[in-house]
Amino acid sequence: MSLDFQSWASSCQTRIETFLEARLPAVDCVPERLHKAMRYSVLGGGKRVRPLLSFAAGELAGADSERITIVAAAVELIHAYSLVHDDLPCMDDDILRRGKPTCHIEYDEATALLTGDSLQTLAFELLAERPLADAPEAQLEMIAQLALASGSRGMAGGQAFDLDSVGKMLSLPELEFMHIHKTGALIRAAVMLGARCSSCLSNEQLAKLDHFAKCVGLAFQVVDDLLDTEATTATLGKTAGKDAEHNKPTYVSILGISQARELAAKLQHDAHQALDGFNEAALRLRQVTDFIIKRKF
Amino acid sequence: MSLDFQSWASSCQTRIETFLEARLPAVDCVPERLHKAMRYSVLGGGKRVRPLLSFAAGELAGADSERITIVAAAVELIHAYSLVHDDLPCMDDDILRRGKPTCHIEYDEATALLTGDSLQTLAFELLAERPLADAPEAQLEMIAQLALASGSRGMAGGQAFDLDSVGKMLSLPELEFMHIHKTGALIRAAVMLGARCSSCLSNEQLAKLDHFAKCVGLAFQVVDDLLDTEATTATLGKTAGKDAEHNKPTYVSILGISQARELAAKLQHDAHQALDGFNEAALRLRQVTDFIIKRKF
């Protein structure tokens, strides 16, 4: 616990990058173009917010860092797959991601489709191929938890709800429903899978972490909406102002900037409060929370 | 074992349909459109060849039929997801599947994309959410096996290789490489996951089944290529003559019809031979093999 937050976060990011670099199929492995596109879409970019949450939660639970690295990588692969598919012409039709051309621009649409598909599959392969929990039954539960968080009643469902809501006026509860699924579910899985790499935490403690993760997931989205309004494309590394342009309901469009900022602050406070029972061991989770709220991209 | 093949196959198909009907999210579950599209793409169609193989292999191993139903459903969901994505405009751009409009025609491209994504996720959720093997460690291996068979070094990789080969002349080994991945890997997983629902078979017996599954997988594709040449769109329930139209290398384009028929017969023979050590217990696998070879659609 002696490292400052920035050094700790860098070491987590390096661990994830090194692991994914070694674990993703090599560029000379047939079919080469698909494997190049998979590596292009995953490596060398992103804030790795979800992995940071997995590490922070896993360390809180005293879990083995190799296990945490693998679950963090699996969650990040699900996130990366969703970005590749989200950027396709039939979805957000975006050309810029993490400051680089999106996968279908750099390669082609068919390759981007198969890239997303294969990244999702690899996430589940990672979660099953070696022991990641104190009991194999717990590991099966972790796999089911990631699947539930990613599928039609989680992330993909949130994206579908988002599609259906373009051009519509959503109520605040509807917007919240959308984000609890679209981004919240995977953030929650990142926290919970990290924590479950060890069996040390009680069910009561896991429930507190889950509540923490819900607050952080919503806070992440409120800040995302604020950044889309306030930041520039160059800073974001993705197209800014997209939500307004696509007439998408956001926290900013529904609440206005000032109230959206207040909501982010309230969620930050609630997230910290959920960690009150953990004392010093929750330091990293608190730091990641503040990092998510204060980020500029 | 007293049922004739047709009655046995119907009972397996009914089991799968009933299970999937109950397990797929309901049409009134938010997001409704996505859940409708998922059900549309999975229910009420298809020969269910892969589930039949899972049932035949599972029964050979003396496995519990509820377990077999679930692994068979998971494999079928992976198959269904691959069809939905394969039919998209950026891939095969097809409008007809199982005699109905393809998912993106009936709904829209974005919904079809998310439908395929969510069907894949659901496959892994099914494999993790309840006990399916005598030991949880074996179940984790089954999940890893399905992931390997489905991802970039399996089915999706075969599709990418297929994309790269359009308009090219492939050698017979290259064509075989493509099909071992594109269709063979999932057929192999269907057999092996069915068998592994019980721990009764020895490693040697599992290796024999694996060899059987490889022969059946290739035979399936050779017959598919023959049907694409010889059958009509009405019989197939999907567009016939597509391979030649897209200038795709097939067993027929490389070997000619007559040699392709001989190859199918040889693979059928090899598949039967691989089952020689199993006696009467392999009856259903033999029957499914012959059904695959003799099918007209």
Side-chain angles (χ1 to χ4, degrees):
Chain A
M1 283 293 180
S2 58
L3 290 177
D4 65 282
F5 174 69
Q6 198 47 63
S7 308
W8 174 82
S10 295
S11 80
C12 296
Q13 285 153 347
T14 304
R15 268 184 174 276
I16 282 289
E17 192 76 11
T18 307
F19 174 80
L20 287 168
E21 164 78 42
R23 185 59 186 77
L24 281 160
V27 291
D28 59 357
C29 174
V30 177
E32 293 93 343
R33 188 175 169 82
L34 175 60
H35 289 136
K36 275 182 199 154
M38 287 170 72
R39 299 178 73 90
Y40 177 84
S41 305
V42 172
L43 298 175
K47 299 173 288 295
R48 311 293 190 204
V49 165
R50 291 156 196 79
L52 290 180
L53 285 165
S54 297
F55 274 103
E59 292 181 11
L60 166 69
D64 171 75
S65 72
E66 285 186 28
R67 289 185 185 174
I68 306 173
T69 304
I70 294 172
V71 303
V75 171
E76 189 68 5
L77 287 173
I78 293 286
H79 176 57
Y81 119 66
S82 78
L83 298 182
V84 171
H85 281 185
D86 225 22
D87 288 333
L88 281 169
C90 69
M91 299 278 290
D92 281 356
D93 192 13
D94 218 320
I95 60 166
L96 197 63
R97 170 70 66 184
R98 293 173 175 173
K100 300 189 298 186
T102 48
C103 184
H104 67 278
I105 297 291
E106 183 73 12
Y107 294 88
D108 55 77
E109 279 185 51
T111 301
L113 179 66
L114 292 172
T115 295
D117 290 343
S118 302
L119 293 175
Q120 175 173 193
T121 320
L122 185 58
F124 290 105
E125 194 177 340
L126 288 187
L127 286 189
E129 71 188 357
R130 30 172 145 156
L132 297 177
D134 292 341
E137 291 86 350
Q139 190 167 344
L140 288 167
E141 286 173 18
M142 289 157 70
I143 295 172
Q145 187 165 19
L146 184 65
L148 185 60
S150 310
S152 72
R153 285 156 306 147
M155 182 185 74
Q159 287 175 304
F161 192 89
D162 192 8
L163 281 176
D164 292 346
S165 69
V166 172
K168 282 185 199 162
M169 196 63 206
L170 293 189
S171 66
L172 193 59
E174 285 170 332
L175 188 71
E176 194 167 296
F177 176 92
M178 177 174 94
H179 289 310
I180 282 174
H181 291 80
K182 195 179 163 196
T183 49
L186 193 60
I187 283 177
R188 208 169 140 195
V191 170
M192 299 312 283
L193 264 64
R196 297 185 72 182
C197 289
S198 143
S199 54
C200 290
L201 300 184
S202 67
N203 284 340
E204 196 193 342
Q205 287 176 311
L206 287 173
K208 280 185 185 172
L209 277 188
D210 197 29
H211 181 64
F212 159 82
K214 280 185 204 167
C215 298
V216 168
L218 271 180
F220 181 90
Q221 190 59 49
V222 177
V223 173
D224 217 54
D225 288 354
L226 282 163
L227 287 172
D228 187 71
T229 311
E230 298 175 324
T232 65
T233 297
T235 322
L236 286 182
K238 60 181 180 181
T239 315
K242 230 168 41 171
D243 297 334
E245 189 193 319
H246 288 116
N247 200 15
K248 277 193 181 181
T250 70
Y251 283 102
V252 174
S253 72
I254 292 183
L255 295 175
I257 288 185
S258 154
Q259 272 199 62
R261 281 205 190 114
E262 276 171 34
L263 178 59
K266 182 187 176 305
L267 290 165
Q268 180 180 21
H269 173 264
D270 291 349
H272 279 289
Q273 203 166 42
L275 299 174
D276 276 350
F278 292 106
N279 303 325
E280 275 309 294
L283 174 67
R284 295 305 183 200
L285 281 175
R286 292 185 185 280
Q287 290 174 328
V288 179
T289 303
D290 296 342
F291 167 73
I292 285 171
I293 304 287
K294 290 177 189 154
R295 74 189 199 278
K296 297 293 172 215
F297 64 97
Chain B
M1 280 292 181
S2 58
L3 291 178
D4 65 283
F5 174 69
Q6 199 48 62
S7 308
W8 175 82
S10 296
S11 80
C12 296
Q13 285 152 348
T14 304
R15 270 184 173 275
I16 281 289
E17 193 76 11
T18 306
F19 175 80
L20 286 169
E21 165 76 43
R23 185 59 186 78
L24 281 160
V27 292
D28 59 357
C29 173
V30 177
E32 293 93 344
R33 188 175 170 82
L34 175 60
H35 289 136
K36 275 181 199 155
M38 288 171 71
R39 298 178 73 90
Y40 177 84
S41 305
V42 172
L43 297 175
K47 298 172 289 295
R48 312 292 191 203
V49 165
R50 293 158 195 77
L52 290 180
L53 285 166
S54 297
F55 274 104
E59 291 181 10
L60 166 69
D64 171 75
S65 72
E66 285 185 27
R67 288 184 185 175
I68 307 174
T69 304
I70 294 171
V71 302
V75 171
E76 190 68 4
L77 288 173
I78 293 286
H79 176 56
Y81 119 66
S82 77
L83 298 182
V84 172
H85 281 184
D86 224 22
D87 288 333
L88 282 169
C90 70
M91 298 280 288
D92 282 356
D93 192 13
D94 218 321
I95 60 165
L96 197 63
R97 169 70 66 184
R98 295 174 173 171
K100 300 190 297 186
T102 48
C103 184
H104 67 278
I105 297 291
E106 183 72 13
Y107 294 87
D108 55 78
E109 279 185 51
T111 301
L113 179 66
L114 293 172
T115 295
D117 290 344
S118 302
L119 293 175
Q120 175 173 193
T121 320
L122 185 57
F124 289 105
E125 194 176 339
L126 287 187
L127 286 188
E129 70 189 359
R130 29 170 146 159
L132 297 176
D134 292 341
E137 291 86 350
Q139 190 167 343
L140 288 168
E141 286 173 20
M142 289 157 69
I143 295 171
Q145 187 165 18
L146 185 65
L148 184 60
S150 310
S152 72
R153 286 155 305 147
M155 181 186 74
Q159 286 174 304
F161 193 88
D162 192 9
L163 280 177
D164 292 346
S165 70
V166 172
K168 283 186 198 161
M169 195 64 206
L170 293 188
S171 66
L172 193 58
E174 283 171 333
L175 187 72
E176 195 168 295
F177 176 92
M178 178 174 95
H179 289 310
I180 282 174
H181 292 77
K182 196 180 163 196
T183 49
L186 193 60
I187 284 178
R188 209 170 140 196
V191 171
M192 300 311 285
L193 263 63
R196 296 183 73 184
C197 290
S198 142
S199 55
C200 290
L201 299 184
S202 66
N203 284 340
E204 196 193 343
Q205 287 175 312
L206 288 173
K208 280 185 186 172
L209 276 189
D210 197 29
H211 180 64
F212 159 81
K214 281 185 203 167
C215 298
V216 168
L218 271 180
F220 180 90
Q221 190 58 50
V222 177
V223 173
D224 217 53
D225 288 354
L226 281 163
L227 288 171
D228 187 70
T229 311
E230 298 175 326
T232 65
T233 298
T235 322
L236 286 182
K238 61 182 180 182
T239 316
K242 228 168 42 172
D243 297 334
E245 189 195 318
H246 287 113
N247 201 14
K248 276 194 181 179
T250 69
Y251 283 103
V252 174
S253 72
I254 292 182
L255 294 175
I257 288 183
S258 155
Q259 272 199 63
R261 282 205 189 115
E262 277 172 34
L263 179 58
K266 184 188 175 304
L267 289 165
Q268 181 180 20
H269 173 263
D270 292 350
H272 280 289
Q273 203 167 41
L275 299 174
D276 276 351
F278 291 106
N279 305 324
E280 276 308 295
L283 173 66
R284 295 304 182 200
L285 281 174
R286 293 185 187 279
Q287 290 174 330
V288 179
T289 304
D290 296 342
F291 167 73
I292 285 171
I293 303 287
K294 291 176 189 155
R295 75 191 198 276
K296 298 291 171 216
F297 64 98

